[in-house]
Amino acid sequence: MSRKKTQKPPVDRIQASPDTGLTAAQVEERVRKGYVNVTDDPNEKTTGKIIRNNLFTFFNVVLFTIAAVFAGFMIYLHSIGRSDIVNEYFGFSKFVFLIPAVMNVAMGSFQEIKSMRVIKKLKIVTSTKSKVIRDGEAVMLDASQIVVDDIVALTAGDQATADLIVLSGEVDVDESMLTGEADHVKKKVGDTILSGSSIIVGSARCRADKVGNDTYASDLTYKVKSGARHSSELMSSIMRIIKVLTVGLCIAVIVTTVTLAVRIGATGSNTAVWGMPMSLRDPVTWSLIVLTDGMFGIGMIPSGLVLTTSVALMVSISQLTKKQTLIQELYSLENLSRVDVICLDKTGTLTDGTMSVFEVREFAPKAEIERHLRALIGSSEDRNATSEAMYQYFGEDKNADYREAIPFSSANKYSGIIYHDGKKLLMGAPEYLLDAGDQRLDYVTEKANEGNRVIAVTLDGELIAFVAIEDHIRDTAADTLRFFRENGVTVKVISGDNPLTVSKIAQKCGIENADRYISLAGVSLEEIPALAENYTVFARVSPEQKEALVMALQANKHKVAMTGDGVNDILALRRSDSSITFAKATEAAKSCSDVVLLDNDFSHLKEVVGEGRRVIGNIRKTAVLYLMKSIATFILAFALIPLAKAQMWFSVENMYMLEAAVIGTGGFLLSLEPRRTPVQGSFIKYIVSQSLGAGALGACAVLLPILLNVIPKALGYPPVIADANVRSMMTIMLSITGIVVVLAMCIPLNKYRALSLSAVTFVAAFLGLLLPEAYIGGNTIGASMLAYDKAAGQTIFDSQLVQQMFRPMNSPSVQSLLSDTNNYLVLRLFLYIAVPVFILISFAAENYSRKEYKDVRKNRYFRIGRRLVLVSGIALILHAMLTIVEVLTGSGSVITFGEATGSVTAVIVNIIYAILHLVIGVTGYLLWKNPTKKMINLTFIAGFALAALTLGPMDATSGQMAQGGVLLIIDNIELLVIVAAYLVGCTICHDNVHLGLAKARNT
């Protein structure tokens, strides 16, 4: 699609002199008429656009539509005199789902606007500069300040920021971003240099023929500077999931509508099922059907998932800008976090880019050598690190008499001049200027072994001098490279310098296998893939070979980052998965890089990689929480079909505690966890496999109370879960499922994760006690609950709602729950099963995403044993904690001994048993976390002690179990299974230990 161009008033075109350029008046006229080099950026967002984008997402539109439909039915029901239905079913608690949606929009917009402003300010610092001739003087201007007919001076490393016509000079340009061809194109007087082209060698003065949106390649220039060059696995995976969920949402709503319509059509007159007469001709019936549809729609929507992902990335990018690191693409942070190979350019990365001459080996009179070198240095306006060191030592002669200058070429590795008598003075790499058998190259080898480089100077093929130059290694290089080594990132050094020199510098910096070096001089591109994995240092590398090395590493399934600061690095920078450059780099290098280190400090890459890993790793966990609810809702849409009330068993209030405590609080805290571990495995495989397990467990948590109510009644027995407690148990068990998922994500525990898990549990308990009828009972809170008798002197504090807030234990839902021991036993049984099962599912899903199930080198039996000990140990910890609660509250089941029931002795015995279970459970967890030989033996002994502790009191409690009914018997059987799992696990670990594979788990 072509860009829409605005009409501008005509301007007289001027053929300005290359030496004088435009006058101030001519520039002012062009600025006034709009002939400036400003290109519209379609991706640049205004504040209003940011708010609109965050507000009108697909899922937000669905949520707001559901709210509007609910409000419409409320108004309609009031109008037909059915306010009782409104108060009972359409209370304001039905609209609480809008709170997180509005908060997501507000927080997301605020953070994006804040991040955009910070990044915009920093982009000004790194914006492309151009040398422009005006009123006879050369001035450096931002590219946006160039006007049509300006005279622009170009040198090697510059980027053409407008369509230019060459007036004088000659340059080689890289038009690969325009044509896709990597070959350099020579541009002479009269030729056009298109915007986006990079100047490789030479210099020229050109006239700006077209600027801004009028340039032939303005769209491509934008693509080089700030367009997305690398795909984002994170966002593409989320988008795929959202598409699937959108289809799932439609299916769930259709299934719910059809099921309820069929059920009501067949059994609508049965008030024992529906609580009131139902008819498809009654608008009240359709209001309840739509209400149920809306609930399943709300449940299917992972509200805030995309927003959380984008905001997390933007906040991290904003934080990095404070550390002088500019991330030019939102998802560059993700790509860099996945890197497992980083290719460093020695100059400007390991070294700080500065050099100095420390020795000159003379093969001709000193005065003659200095005269030649001053002439050669003065022949070029280019100033790279090498020429700057030569200039500082020898000076320059701008008035030297010569016929032609030979610009430096990456292919030839030399520059020079040709005198009028035809003699050719060259300066460059000794290997390129001298024969391979020349014994004087021993001096080059000697200096290279010291980590220094040597420049050869020849006159008509005869060596007249060696100039020894040393690089200054960055003070932070060793520490930064150690960080990469410790975090599983392989370092490769790619340079155009002498291989021995580069190898020595790499060794000084502490790079592993830095002695494995090779020169790629003369090596064909086809041979490079065979060398990429076998060497660490690659020297005498051409731009095309750098690109081929990156491609070879990528072909071996590596995620490759590339650093560079020169024009010769552009091909490799564009090809890499993540490209990094410095503020002092050439404009072309900065334009095509994802990351710009504004203070030229390579050590900031530690923070970039670490921050990327933190964000991506945490988003994976947060995404599981969002999708858990969606998958559970989808399963329930089908699982509830056979039941009499079908999907009407479930209400939107049943999800509020899960939404607020687990997804809201847990997701927020987990997204902020400090971590630096590498991101392993496929993002989509991880979250889908984990979410399926979590969602299935959530669906089971909702179905279990319903089935324990319906099935016994169908068989003629009293229900295990009373009618009054079904909805409360659904809410509590679904919320507990969410906490179990958070627990699984927090293993192995550390201080932050322990605090996060505690916070989630606290918020769930707080909300449950704040509004027990909604957050526990799953009931609608309407205006009637705020009613009070003003005539009797009552105030708002006497209303039912406020009384619940201050006296939650008096709530009907809470009292009904606490009055029935079955509720407690069911919750405990569910915990004993849910925690171990989901943790095992979580491990299996993690192995699947990392493809560890294919790794035959792993000691599978030992791994199975560790996991059995872990899950049974955690179950023992839960059992111990619940036992202590039982003893202190006098509820549930405790060990009794004849007449000692309720005595101090029984209390002490139970607490001792609980503490022993707790200690043994913690021992099992510690074995899993760090399986040392000592810990394995200790756990093995603890396993047999546990068996004795469990079997010992069986005779004493057998009568109690018989009196306690089926649930208490099942409870004890589960405990026996847990003990057996612990004993089997520690025995497997003891008999199959392989400490070489038994790595500690810290993440």
Side-chain angles (χ1 to χ4, degrees), residues 390-595:
M390 300 285 282
Y391 168 75
Q392 294 296 334
Y393 191 87
F394 295 104
E396 66 177 352
D397 183 3
K398 286 289 188 183
N399 299 316
D401 191 17
Y402 58 88
R403 187 180 72 197
E404 181 183 351
I406 303 173
F408 178 80
S409 167
S410 296
N412 300 326
K413 300 293 184 185
Y414 62 74
S415 60
I417 57 175
I418 301 175
Y419 289 109
H420 288 290
D421 59 4
K423 291 184 177 181
K424 185 181 295 185
L425 178 69
L426 301 177
M427 176 178 72
E431 300 96 316
Y432 284 75
L433 295 178
L434 301 178
D435 294 334
D438 196 319
Q439 294 183 351
R440 290 172 295 185
L441 288 174
D442 292 342
Y443 174 80
V444 178
T445 304
E446 175 190 341
K447 294 302 175 186
N449 286 332
E450 298 171 1
N452 301 312
R453 59 185 298 197
V454 175
I455 303 296
V457 184
T458 63
L459 184 64
D460 261 4
E462 293 295 326
L463 179 66
I464 63 174
F466 279 138
V467 181
I469 298 177
E470 60 182 354
D471 290 283
H472 181 259
I473 297 176
R474 290 183 181 273
D475 297 333
T476 57
D479 180 60
T480 304
L481 294 168
R482 182 169 58 252
F483 166 83
F484 285 125
R485 182 172 62 252
E486 293 173 352
N487 283 272
V489 179
T490 302
V491 177
K492 304 278 187 182
V493 181
I494 301 176
S495 177
D497 292 334
N498 180 281
L500 274 174
T501 302
V502 181
S503 175
K504 285 296 179 181
I505 290 178
Q507 290 178 52
K508 289 179 183 179
C509 295
I511 295 178
E512 284 187 333
N513 302 317
D515 57 334
R516 294 166 60 180
Y517 61 87
I518 186 174
S519 172
L520 294 187
V523 176
S524 68
L525 298 181
E526 290 74 19
E527 297 175 78
I528 287 178
L531 306 174
E533 297 283 1
N534 298 326
Y535 293 91
T536 298
V537 175
F538 301 88
R540 299 304 184 200
V541 183
S542 69
E544 292 76 19
Q545 288 173 327
K546 286 185 181 182
E547 182 184 30
L549 275 170
V550 172
M551 293 172 65
L553 291 168
Q554 290 172 329
N556 290 332
K557 307 301 181 183
H558 291 295
K559 293 291 185 179
V560 183
M562 177 74 193
T563 67
D565 58 1
V567 173
N568 60 324
D569 299 316
I570 291 176
L571 292 176
L573 289 171
R574 288 175 182 161
R575 179 67 62 178
S576 66
D577 296 292
S578 187
S579 48
I580 305 147
T581 193
F582 305 90
K584 67 177 184 180
T586 61
E587 298 300 336
K590 284 191 290 187
S591 293
C592 67
S593 293
D594 300 319
V595 180

Side-chain angles (χ1 to χ4, degrees), residues 14 53 74 117 189 284 361 563 695-696 739 744 857 949 957 992:
I14 297 173
N53 288 349
M74 289 174 65
R117 289 175 178 173
V189 174
V284 172
R361 175 67 63 89
T563 67
I739 295 174
R857 295 174 300 171
L949 283 172
T957 60
N992 295 275

Side-chain angles (χ1 to χ4, degrees), residues 161-316:
T161 54
D163 284 356
L164 309 172
I165 295 178
V166 180
L167 301 181
S168 65
E170 188 175 290
V171 292
D172 286 356
V173 303
D174 173 11
E175 293 183 336
S176 59
M177 279 304 296
L178 306 175
T179 64
E181 299 293 334
D183 295 337
H184 301 160
V185 180
K186 189 174 290 294
K187 298 291 184 178
K188 301 178 181 179
V189 174
D191 290 339
T192 298
I193 301 176
L194 298 176
S195 61
S197 302
S198 302
I199 310 305
I200 306 302
V201 294
S203 60
R205 291 200 174 182
C206 313
R207 176 170 55 83
D209 184 49
K210 295 179 181 179
V211 295
N213 291 337
D214 295 327
T215 59
Y216 173 77
S218 60
D219 291 336
L220 295 177
T221 302
Y222 168 75
K223 189 179 296 183
V224 178
K225 289 183 177 180
S226 58
R229 290 171 294 279
H230 309 305
S231 61
S232 165
E233 181 186 349
L234 176 68
M235 189 50 79
S236 61
S237 297
I238 290 176
M239 289 298 111
R240 286 167 61 188
I241 291 169
I242 286 176
K243 288 179 182 178
V244 172
L245 289 180
T246 302
V247 176
L249 186 153
C250 297
I251 293 173
V253 170
I254 292 171
V255 167
T256 301
T257 304
V258 172
T259 302
L260 290 175
V262 172
R263 288 280 185 188
I264 291 170
T267 63
S269 59
N270 189 343
T271 57
V273 173
W274 303 103
M276 69 173 85
M278 303 280 275
S279 170
L280 295 178
R281 297 178 180 179
D282 186 357
V284 172
T285 298
W286 280 107
S287 71
L288 298 181
I289 292 175
V290 170
L291 187 67
T292 307
D293 289 340
M295 185 280 299
F296 278 91
I298 294 165
M300 283 294 299
I301 293 175
S303 180
L305 175 59
V306 177
L307 202 57
T308 299
T309 302
S310 300
V311 169
L313 288 169
M314 285 186 290
V315 170
S316 291

